[in-house]
mmCIF file of all heavy atoms in Angstrom:
data_model
loop_
_atom_site.group_PDB
_atom_site.id
_atom_site.type_symbol
_atom_site.label_atom_id
_atom_site.label_comp_id
_atom_site.label_asym_id
_atom_site.label_seq_id
_atom_site.Cartn_x
_atom_site.Cartn_y
_atom_site.Cartn_z
ATOM 1 N N LEU A 64 6.799 32.393 -102.930
ATOM 2 C CA LEU A 64 6.495 32.629 -104.374
ATOM 3 C C LEU A 64 6.958 33.924 -104.903
ATOM 4 O O LEU A 64 6.643 34.308 -106.050
ATOM 5 C CB LEU A 64 5.031 32.319 -104.637
ATOM 6 C CG LEU A 64 4.652 30.871 -104.322
ATOM 7 C CD1 LEU A 64 3.136 30.765 -104.532
ATOM 8 C CD2 LEU A 64 5.344 29.918 -105.253
ATOM 9 N N GLY A 65 7.573 34.799 -104.038
ATOM 10 C CA GLY A 65 8.022 36.085 -104.547
ATOM 11 C C GLY A 65 7.529 37.221 -103.630
ATOM 12 O O GLY A 65 7.382 37.083 -102.442
ATOM 13 N N TYR A 66 7.211 38.305 -104.304
ATOM 14 C CA TYR A 66 6.771 39.548 -103.629
ATOM 15 C C TYR A 66 5.490 39.990 -104.241
ATOM 16 O O TYR A 66 5.382 40.196 -105.427
ATOM 17 C CB TYR A 66 7.856 40.638 -103.788
ATOM 18 C CG TYR A 66 7.484 41.967 -103.133
ATOM 19 C CD1 TYR A 66 7.858 42.248 -101.830
ATOM 20 C CD2 TYR A 66 6.727 42.865 -103.820
ATOM 21 C CE1 TYR A 66 7.545 43.439 -101.229
ATOM 22 C CE2 TYR A 66 6.380 44.138 -103.216
ATOM 23 C CZ TYR A 66 6.807 44.394 -101.949
ATOM 24 O OH TYR A 66 6.441 45.565 -101.344
ATOM 25 N N GLN A 67 4.434 40.220 -103.451
ATOM 26 C CA GLN A 67 3.244 40.770 -103.962
ATOM 27 C C GLN A 67 2.440 41.385 -102.755
ATOM 28 O O GLN A 67 2.177 40.716 -101.795
ATOM 29 C CB GLN A 67 2.357 39.746 -104.602
ATOM 30 C CG GLN A 67 1.109 40.282 -105.245
ATOM 31 C CD GLN A 67 1.343 41.480 -106.225
ATOM 32 O OE1 GLN A 67 1.363 42.579 -105.868
ATOM 33 N NE2 GLN A 67 1.526 41.103 -107.506
ATOM 34 N N VAL A 68 2.034 42.647 -102.929
ATOM 35 C CA VAL A 68 1.143 43.256 -101.927
ATOM 36 C C VAL A 68 -0.330 42.841 -102.303
ATOM 37 O O VAL A 68 -0.535 42.612 -103.503
ATOM 38 C CB VAL A 68 1.344 44.798 -101.875
ATOM 39 C CG1 VAL A 68 2.671 45.150 -101.374
ATOM 40 C CG2 VAL A 68 1.008 45.395 -103.208
ATOM 41 N N VAL A 112 -6.133 38.802 -110.324
ATOM 42 C CA VAL A 112 -5.092 37.760 -110.263
ATOM 43 C C VAL A 112 -3.668 38.424 -110.563
ATOM 44 O O VAL A 112 -3.640 39.470 -111.184
ATOM 45 C CB VAL A 112 -5.332 36.584 -111.142
ATOM 46 C CG1 VAL A 112 -6.611 35.857 -110.864
ATOM 47 C CG2 VAL A 112 -5.333 37.037 -112.629
ATOM 48 N N SER A 113 -2.674 37.807 -110.029
ATOM 49 C CA SER A 113 -1.338 38.193 -110.259
ATOM 50 C C SER A 113 -0.466 36.976 -110.350
ATOM 51 O O SER A 113 -0.677 36.009 -109.521
ATOM 52 C CB SER A 113 -0.841 39.166 -109.101
ATOM 53 O OG SER A 113 0.482 39.513 -109.392
ATOM 54 N N LEU A 114 0.378 36.923 -111.319
ATOM 55 C CA LEU A 114 1.313 35.818 -111.485
ATOM 56 C C LEU A 114 2.492 36.011 -110.431
ATOM 57 O O LEU A 114 3.048 37.140 -110.330
ATOM 58 C CB LEU A 114 1.919 35.760 -112.858
ATOM 59 C CG LEU A 114 2.920 34.643 -113.184
ATOM 60 C CD1 LEU A 114 2.237 33.299 -113.104
ATOM 61 C CD2 LEU A 114 3.520 34.869 -114.527
ATOM 62 N N SER A 115 2.766 34.982 -109.681
ATOM 63 C CA SER A 115 3.852 35.118 -108.738
ATOM 64 C C SER A 115 5.197 35.264 -109.406
ATOM 65 O O SER A 115 5.442 34.750 -110.585
ATOM 66 C CB SER A 115 3.881 33.866 -107.828
ATOM 67 O OG SER A 115 4.467 32.742 -108.497
ATOM 68 N N ASN A 116 6.139 35.942 -108.766
ATOM 69 C CA ASN A 116 7.434 36.196 -109.324
ATOM 70 C C ASN A 116 8.239 34.874 -109.587
ATOM 71 O O ASN A 116 9.015 34.881 -110.477
ATOM 72 C CB ASN A 116 8.268 37.048 -108.336
ATOM 73 C CG ASN A 116 7.637 38.313 -108.019
ATOM 74 O OD1 ASN A 116 7.033 38.501 -106.966
ATOM 75 N ND2 ASN A 116 7.642 39.309 -108.906
ATOM 76 N N GLU A 117 7.960 33.912 -108.757
ATOM 77 C CA GLU A 117 8.763 32.665 -108.893
ATOM 78 C C GLU A 117 8.100 31.644 -109.848
ATOM 79 O O GLU A 117 8.634 30.577 -109.963
ATOM 80 C CB GLU A 117 8.898 32.046 -107.534
ATOM 81 C CG GLU A 117 9.666 32.906 -106.511
ATOM 82 C CD GLU A 117 11.088 33.229 -106.966
ATOM 83 O OE1 GLU A 117 11.796 32.361 -107.518
ATOM 84 O OE2 GLU A 117 11.515 34.388 -106.841
ATOM 85 N N SER A 118 7.006 31.968 -110.425
ATOM 86 C CA SER A 118 6.350 31.046 -111.397
ATOM 87 C C SER A 118 7.202 30.824 -112.612
ATOM 88 O O SER A 118 7.672 31.729 -113.234
ATOM 89 C CB SER A 118 4.990 31.577 -111.790
ATOM 90 O OG SER A 118 4.096 31.524 -110.732
ATOM 91 N N ALA A 121 3.090 30.868 -116.927
ATOM 92 C CA ALA A 121 1.815 31.676 -116.790
ATOM 93 C C ALA A 121 0.784 30.828 -117.616
ATOM 94 O O ALA A 121 1.107 30.068 -118.430
ATOM 95 C CB ALA A 121 2.015 33.025 -117.422
ATOM 96 N N ILE A 155 -2.181 35.279 -118.185
ATOM 97 C CA ILE A 155 -1.930 36.225 -117.155
ATOM 98 C C ILE A 155 -0.449 36.180 -116.869
ATOM 99 O O ILE A 155 0.035 35.117 -116.376
ATOM 100 C CB ILE A 155 -2.702 35.933 -115.903
ATOM 101 C CG1 ILE A 155 -4.240 35.901 -116.163
ATOM 102 C CG2 ILE A 155 -2.413 36.979 -114.811
ATOM 103 C CD1 ILE A 155 -4.805 37.182 -116.674
ATOM 104 N N SER A 156 0.303 37.287 -117.238
ATOM 105 C CA SER A 156 1.753 37.215 -117.022
ATOM 106 C C SER A 156 2.271 38.390 -116.209
ATOM 107 O O SER A 156 3.489 38.512 -115.956
ATOM 108 C CB SER A 156 2.459 37.185 -118.393
ATOM 109 O OG SER A 156 2.016 38.324 -119.198
ATOM 110 N N ASP A 157 1.415 39.247 -115.717
ATOM 111 C CA ASP A 157 1.835 40.391 -114.874
ATOM 112 C C ASP A 157 2.238 39.931 -113.447
ATOM 113 O O ASP A 157 1.387 39.387 -112.793
ATOM 114 C CB ASP A 157 0.729 41.436 -114.827
ATOM 115 C CG ASP A 157 1.069 42.694 -114.120
ATOM 116 O OD1 ASP A 157 2.230 42.828 -113.648
ATOM 117 O OD2 ASP A 157 0.308 43.633 -114.158
ATOM 118 N N THR A 158 3.522 40.161 -113.097
ATOM 119 C CA THR A 158 3.983 39.804 -111.771
ATOM 120 C C THR A 158 4.014 41.017 -110.876
ATOM 121 O O THR A 158 4.274 40.815 -109.652
ATOM 122 C CB THR A 158 5.345 39.123 -111.851
ATOM 123 O OG1 THR A 158 6.285 40.075 -112.454
ATOM 124 C CG2 THR A 158 5.338 37.799 -112.622
ATOM 125 N N LEU A 159 3.792 42.178 -111.372
ATOM 126 C CA LEU A 159 3.898 43.403 -110.525
ATOM 127 C C LEU A 159 2.528 43.845 -110.054
ATOM 128 O O LEU A 159 2.343 44.232 -108.879
ATOM 129 C CB LEU A 159 4.559 44.589 -111.295
ATOM 130 C CG LEU A 159 6.003 44.309 -111.763
ATOM 131 C CD1 LEU A 159 6.502 45.472 -112.598
ATOM 132 C CD2 LEU A 159 6.920 44.052 -110.573
ATOM 133 N N GLY A 160 1.531 43.814 -110.962
ATOM 134 C CA GLY A 160 0.210 44.365 -110.600
ATOM 135 C C GLY A 160 -0.746 43.192 -110.525
ATOM 136 O O GLY A 160 -0.417 42.045 -110.576
ATOM 137 N N TRP A 161 -2.031 43.625 -110.484
ATOM 138 C CA TRP A 161 -3.134 42.729 -110.447
ATOM 139 C C TRP A 161 -3.956 42.864 -111.723
ATOM 140 O O TRP A 161 -4.216 44.050 -112.136
ATOM 141 C CB TRP A 161 -4.023 42.990 -109.174
ATOM 142 C CG TRP A 161 -3.352 42.655 -107.949
ATOM 143 C CD1 TRP A 161 -2.501 43.390 -107.185
ATOM 144 C CD2 TRP A 161 -3.398 41.375 -107.241
ATOM 145 N NE1 TRP A 161 -2.042 42.701 -106.077
ATOM 146 C CE2 TRP A 161 -2.611 41.460 -106.085
ATOM 147 C CE3 TRP A 161 -4.012 40.139 -107.558
ATOM 148 C CZ2 TRP A 161 -2.415 40.365 -105.190
ATOM 149 C CZ3 TRP A 161 -3.873 39.074 -106.660
ATOM 150 C CH2 TRP A 161 -3.072 39.231 -105.491
ATOM 151 N N THR A 162 -4.321 41.795 -112.365
ATOM 152 C CA THR A 162 -5.136 41.771 -113.575
ATOM 153 C C THR A 162 -6.571 41.448 -113.237
ATOM 154 O O THR A 162 -6.850 40.436 -112.581
ATOM 155 C CB THR A 162 -4.574 40.742 -114.591
ATOM 156 O OG1 THR A 162 -3.212 41.098 -114.836
ATOM 157 C CG2 THR A 162 -5.396 40.734 -115.839
#
Side-chain angles (χ1 to χ4, degrees):
L64 296 175
Y66 178 92
Q67 184 56 271
V68 296
V112 298
S113 180
L114 180 66
S115 76
N116 303 103
E117 299 298 321
S118 292
I155 304 297
S156 58
D157 186 355
T158 61
L159 298 176
W161 290 88
T162 301

